[in-house]
Amino acid sequence: MKYAKKDAKAYARAHMKGIWAAALTPFTPSLAIDEDGFRENIRHWLDDLKIDGLFIAGKQGEFFSMSIEERKRNFELAVEASAGRGQTIMSCSDQNMDVVIDLAKHAQKVGADYIVVHAPILHFFKAQDETVYEYYRTIAEKVDIGIALWSHPDSGYLLSPQLCNRLADIENVVAIKYSVPRPMYAELTRMAGDRILVSTASEEEWLDNILELGWQLYLCSSPPYLIQTANDLRMREYTDLAFRGEADKARALRDSLNPVREALRGTRPAEKPHSHQKYWQELLGQVGGRVRPPMLELTEAEKAATRAAFESCGLKPGRAPLAKAS
């Protein structure tokens, strides 16, 4: 950590900026973590694609299929591979609070910049807000590292802007990945934008959120490395244009990516997001690899449809596709 707990909010405000991506975890044919492939992807994402930070071992990273030791190893690999290149935020989400705190302490120990913790699934819905408040307060009390909240419908409920506003007063709560309808995150931005960085996973809403809500952080999903190549950095470019106030140019560049978004979205089987994104990575020349059970692999027909859409979407090539993707 490069800051004291009391300075966590100010440090995040100064440094937690730009485009962050949620990393997929490559697995080998035997389903081990492909450590060399993971390092190579990180180098490519940060050096070639100019991504500012990485979200490690979250849902995109299939944390739910990893042991606690594997999750910790993911943290270590990411910190080592991103050193001097970009920042990291480690997902410590788990239903067991002792595991969350254990992972959070490990992230802090190995030099991560921040952690993110998903709102817990609650089996009792009485006094829900107070339960969630105590959940985050307890975790924050145990560590010094900056914490990002994460509210998503798969918890079974959404954190209200009012509760998030209260949580924003905790000393080392610095940000939120708020996967909710736009009116909710716009309201939270007005209420607490001076104390936490508000963001959401939608790349398609990112530009409007810079221009209309004054956001500085995209936190985050996989589009930064799925809709860009070393020779086609349109997301990076429209983001930088927006930060400079060149709104019309930024919108034109953002909209030019619509065929790429449609190709990606239109060929993705709803039940196979990980295997589809990993296959798309291999078409881009990145290391995709297998998914672990219970996630499902693509069929040959699904790969053929994805490959056809990829080849006609207008994304400028950066690398040769991996042999296994053809």
Side-chain angles (χ1 to χ4, degrees):
M1 273 178 56
K2 304 179 181 71
Y3 53 88
K5 185 172 187 174
K6 66 181 179 58
D7 299 322
K9 288 182 187 295
Y11 184 87
R13 181 77 54 182
H15 299 280
M16 200 176 189
K17 296 180 176 179
I19 299 170
W20 289 52
L24 289 153
T25 304
F27 296 112
T28 67
S30 65
L31 295 180
I33 294 174
D34 183 344
E35 295 194 0
D36 288 341
F38 193 46
R39 292 188 188 94
E40 174 56 23
N41 281 346
I42 289 175
R43 187 209 63 75
H44 173 60
W45 297 338
L46 298 178
D47 290 353
D48 299 335
L49 304 187
K50 315 300 182 190
I51 293 171
D52 297 293
L54 297 175
F55 186 120
I56 302 298
K59 288 184 288 189
Q60 297 286 5
E62 296 176 72
F63 83 88
F64 42 78
S65 70
M66 293 185 206
S67 68
I68 293 171
E69 290 310 310
E70 285 179 321
R71 295 172 71 179
K72 289 181 177 179
R73 179 63 180 154
N74 245 252
F75 295 179
E76 295 162 10
L77 290 169
V79 168
E80 291 168 9
S82 63
R85 292 190 168 103
Q87 297 183 75
T88 55
I89 185 166
M90 307 305 183
S91 173
C92 301
S93 303
D94 203 278
Q95 275 303 99
N96 184 312
M97 185 185 283
D98 289 341
V99 172
V100 174
I101 293 168
D102 182 30
L103 289 169
K105 288 182 175 178
H106 189 75
Q108 183 173 300
K109 176 183 173 184
V110 301
D113 294 288
Y114 314 97
I115 63 167
V116 57
V117 181
H118 199 290
I121 296 172
L122 298 176
H123 300 286
F124 303 95
F125 273 77
K126 301 294 184 184
Q128 175 181 313
D129 280 9
E130 195 60 26
T131 302
V132 173
Y133 180 83
E134 285 301 312
Y135 178 79
Y136 280 115
R137 187 196 62 75
T138 301
I139 295 167
E141 192 175 73
K142 301 290 185 183
V143 294
D144 295 337
I145 195 168
I147 299 171
L149 316 173
W150 186 5
S151 180
H152 187 281
D154 60 11
S155 290
Y157 61 95
L158 297 175
L159 304 184
S160 68
Q162 291 72 26
L163 175 57
C164 296
N165 182 43
R166 187 180 170 205
L167 289 164
D169 286 335
I170 295 175
E171 185 177 32
N172 52 332
V173 167
V174 301
I176 181 169
K177 181 176 178 178
Y178 205 23
S179 304
V180 300
R182 197 163 193 260
M184 288 181 69
Y185 67 66
E187 181 179 4
L188 179 61
T189 303
R190 288 190 292 272
M191 295 172 72
D194 60 330
R195 283 164 288 140
I196 58 170
L197 301 171
V198 183
S199 190
T200 195
S202 171
E203 180 272 327
E204 293 180 66
E205 297 171 15
W206 166 229
L207 177 59
D208 289 338
N209 293 334
I210 300 172
L211 298 172
E212 297 170 10
L213 301 179
W215 282 12
Q216 67 178 53
L217 174 67
Y218 172 71
L219 185 75
C220 64
S221 189
S222 53
Y225 56 84
L226 295 181
I227 65 171
Q228 298 195 105
T229 73
N231 297 318
D232 193 340
L233 297 175
R234 279 178 277 176
M235 184 180 179
R236 175 80 266 169
E237 291 165 5
Y238 83 63
T239 297
D240 291 340
L241 285 167
F243 283 154
R244 294 199 298 268
E246 298 183 58
D248 291 343
K249 289 182 181 177
R251 288 193 178 97
L253 207 51
R254 182 225 15 218
D255 294 346
S256 75
L257 280 166
N258 285 339
V260 182
R261 297 186 187 98
E262 182 54 36
L264 187 58
R265 184 172 49 229
T267 57
R268 181 169 55 215
E271 72 282 15
K272 301 178 180 178
H274 295 81
S275 56
H276 181 265
Q277 291 175 105
K278 288 183 173 185
Y279 184 65
W280 189 276
Q281 279 188 288
E282 292 178 355
L283 293 170
L284 287 163
Q286 301 176 26
V287 182
R290 293 188 62 191
V291 293
R292 279 183 173 175
M295 305 310 293
L296 303 174
E297 299 282 7
L298 294 186
T299 65
E300 290 305 314
E302 288 165 339
K303 288 182 179 179
T306 301
R307 186 165 60 249
F310 173 84
E311 291 172 349
S312 62
C313 72
L315 194 59
K316 297 175 187 174
R319 296 171 161 190
L322 295 186
K324 57 188 173 183
S326 58

